[in-house]
């Protein structure tokens, strides 16, 4: 069994298509197919089945993929450790983040860090709460910004960075848009623009509305803060977004109003795998971030 076979297998499993995998690997399609076939022969199992135009993993293929991803992630870490040993200032940091922190916060932190560590590279991965925890557990990323911060978890640990306020966002012409603050139940009869189920901000907003005595009427759902903000600005409803997701000014920008009853906040933290030492360059970034947050407060 060869390393390239495992790499090709993982790529085909991700793309669900040999042609797309071969294009991304810059390898001939026939070579990828041949290596997958040889891997299946060596294992004595079928890893993929054809479903229409896509290849889907068999049950044993899914089991094998989990182990292969762990092996490849460990290899990546080993390579990074060697590079860091030779030159800690030329390492790579693999960081996960939710979209709402990618608009302003993450670019700002990375830009400040790179001023004093210009040789360090970043490999960034956007994800949801559950996918970020999964990627940290699998070792696919070193660190992840996450919200809400998981206070107790069997496989990840970290630091609470900050508590961030959520604002009500309204169309500019809305009757409440000019107020300095509102009570959340003043929005009980409004249509809401909400994140879809897998996003933690949805749960935070639903819980806040419940504590305010109502269940929001959801007319639109989206997966990006830009989409939520744009739909509200276009008059499709109201929503709640964290302050860091409201820093970008565009032609479609809603009004924002502070919510005072109840005040709605989210926790933001930085996590990594429990019981495992971070790569040296990731430790440097972690220390820098904690000092950066102190200066922000």
């Amino acid at each position: 069994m060869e390393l390239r076979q495992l790499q090709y297998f993982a790529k085909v499993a991700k793309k669900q298509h040999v042609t797309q995998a071969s294009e991304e690997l810059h390898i001939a399609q026939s070579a990828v197919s041949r290596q997958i076939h040889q891997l299946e022969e060596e294992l004595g199992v079928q890893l993929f089945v054809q479903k229409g135009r896509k290849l889907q993993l068999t049950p044993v293929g899914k089991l094998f993929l989990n182990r292969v991803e762990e092996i490849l992630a460990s290899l990546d870490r080993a390579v990074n450790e060697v590079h860091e040993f030779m030159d800690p200032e030329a390492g790579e940091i693999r960081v996960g983040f939710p979209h709402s922190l990618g608009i302003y916060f993450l670019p700002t932190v990375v830009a400040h860090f790179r001023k004093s560590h210009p040789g360090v590279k970043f490999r960034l991965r956007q994800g949801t709460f559950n996918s970020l925890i999964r990627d940290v557990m699998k070792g696919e990323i070193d660190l992840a910004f996450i919200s809400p911060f998981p206070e107790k978890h069997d496989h990840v640990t970290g630091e609470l960075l900050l508590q961030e306020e959520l604002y009500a966002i309204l169309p500019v012409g809305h009757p409440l848009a000019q107020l300095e603050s509102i009570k959340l139940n003043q929005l009980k009869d409004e249509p809401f623009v909400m994140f879809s189920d897998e996003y933690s901000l949805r749960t935070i907003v639903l819980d806040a509305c419940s504590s305010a005595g109502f269940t929001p009427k959801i007319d639109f759902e989206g997966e990006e803060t830009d989409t939520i903000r744009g739909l509200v600005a276009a008059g499709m409803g109201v929503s709640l977004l964290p302050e860091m997701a409201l820093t970008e000014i565009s032609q479609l920008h809603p009004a924002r109003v502070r919510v005072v009853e109840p005040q709605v906040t989210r926790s933001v933290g930085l996590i990594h795998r429990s019981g495992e030492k971070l790569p040296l360059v990731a430790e440097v970034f972690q220390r820098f971030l904690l000092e950066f947050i102190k200066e922000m407060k």
Side-chain angles (χ1 to χ4, degrees), residues 174-224:
H174 192 282
L176 302 177
Q178 304 305 317
L179 299 180
E180 289 188 6
S181 63
I182 61 171
K183 296 180 179 179
L184 188 55
N185 65 10
Q186 290 178 261
L187 302 179
K188 62 184 177 64
D189 296 323
E190 301 286 345
F192 270 71
V193 181
M194 196 78 76
F195 282 95
S196 51
D197 287 335
E198 63 267 30
Y199 288 85
S200 58
L201 279 171
R202 179 188 179 98
T203 302
I204 292 172
V205 174
L206 288 176
D207 288 347
C209 291
S210 177
S211 72
F214 72 97
T215 300
K217 174 178 174 284
I218 302 171
D219 277 12
F220 294 91
E221 294 186 2
E223 296 185 353
E224 300 280 354

Side-chain angles (χ1 to χ4, degrees), residues 140-157:
E140 294 182 2
I141 52 179
D142 305 309
L143 298 163
F145 293 97
I146 197 163
S147 177
F149 175 64
E151 296 285 351
K152 293 182 179 179
H153 195 281
D154 291 338
H155 303 290
V156 302
T157 187

Side-chain angles (χ1 to χ4, degrees), residues 26-293:
H26 305 292
I27 302 295
Q29 179 178 337
S30 59
V32 175
S33 297
R34 184 169 59 253
Q35 292 298 328
I36 296 297
H37 179 66
Q38 290 176 359
L39 182 61
E40 289 180 323
E41 283 192 334
E42 184 172 349
L43 292 171
V45 297
Q46 186 176 5
L47 296 172
F48 294 98
V49 291
Q50 191 78 40
K51 292 288 185 180
R53 295 184 177 181
K54 293 185 176 182
L55 287 175
Q56 290 188 358
L57 288 167
T58 61
V60 70
K62 292 179 181 178
L63 179 66
F64 188 57
L65 178 63
N66 288 334
R67 297 303 185 189
V68 168
E69 288 178 333
E70 291 176 3
I71 291 169
L72 295 178
S74 294
L75 180 60
D76 277 348
R77 288 198 300 275
V79 171
N80 285 337
E81 286 171 2
V82 171
H83 290 164
E84 289 167 14
F85 181 81
M86 299 302 295
D87 184 2
E89 288 299 317
E92 179 182 73
I93 308 172
R94 302 173 303 164
V95 180
F97 65 98
H99 177 264
S100 58
L101 294 180
I103 298 170
Y104 172 77
F105 179 75
L106 180 63
T108 300
V109 170
V110 170
H112 279 77
F113 180 78
R114 286 286 297 266
K115 288 179 181 178
S116 54
H117 302 83
V120 173
K121 297 179 181 178
F122 282 83
R123 190 190 306 179
L124 303 175
R125 177 179 295 188
Q126 183 177 312
T128 63
F129 178 86
N130 289 327
S131 71
L132 291 170
I133 288 182
R134 183 185 66 240
D135 291 345
V136 169
M137 288 170 55
K138 286 185 174 182
E140 294 182 2
I141 52 179
D142 305 309
L143 298 163
F145 293 97
I146 197 163
S147 177
F149 175 64
E151 296 285 351
K152 293 182 179 179
H153 195 281
D154 291 338
H155 303 290
V156 302
T157 187
E159 298 82 23
L160 175 65
L161 299 177
L162 54 90
Q163 292 282 349
E164 183 183 19
E165 187 174 357
L166 271 67
Y167 284 77
I169 59 170
L170 316 165
V172 173
H174 192 282
L176 302 177
Q178 304 305 317
L179 299 180
E180 289 188 6
S181 63
I182 61 171
K183 296 180 179 179
L184 188 55
N185 65 10
Q186 290 178 261
L187 302 179
K188 62 184 177 64
D189 296 323
E190 301 286 345
F192 270 71
V193 181
M194 196 78 76
F195 282 95
S196 51
D197 287 335
E198 63 267 30
Y199 288 85
S200 58
L201 279 171
R202 179 188 179 98
T203 302
I204 292 172
V205 174
L206 288 176
D207 288 347
C209 291
S210 177
S211 72
F214 72 97
T215 300
K217 174 178 174 284
I218 302 171
D219 277 12
F220 294 91
E221 294 186 2
E223 296 185 353
E224 300 280 354
T225 52
D226 295 346
T227 303
I228 304 294
R229 195 173 55 217
L231 286 169
V232 171
M236 299 295 103
V238 302
S239 191
L240 274 72
L241 283 180
E243 186 174 10
M244 280 190 280
L246 298 172
T247 54
E248 184 178 334
I249 304 298
S250 66
Q251 290 182 338
L252 278 179
H253 200 73
R256 71 174 185 176
V257 180
R258 176 167 271 114
V259 178
V260 294
E261 192 178 310
Q263 186 182 46
V264 188
T265 62
R266 68 166 178 173
S267 58
V268 177
L270 185 73
I271 59 170
H272 58 87
R273 284 214 290 186
S274 298
E276 186 171 295
K277 189 176 184 299
L278 280 169
L280 178 59
V281 68
E283 283 189 1
V284 173
F285 177 69
Q286 182 186 44
R287 290 195 297 270
F288 166 86
L289 178 66
L290 295 177
E291 289 300 316
F292 184 83
I293 294 296

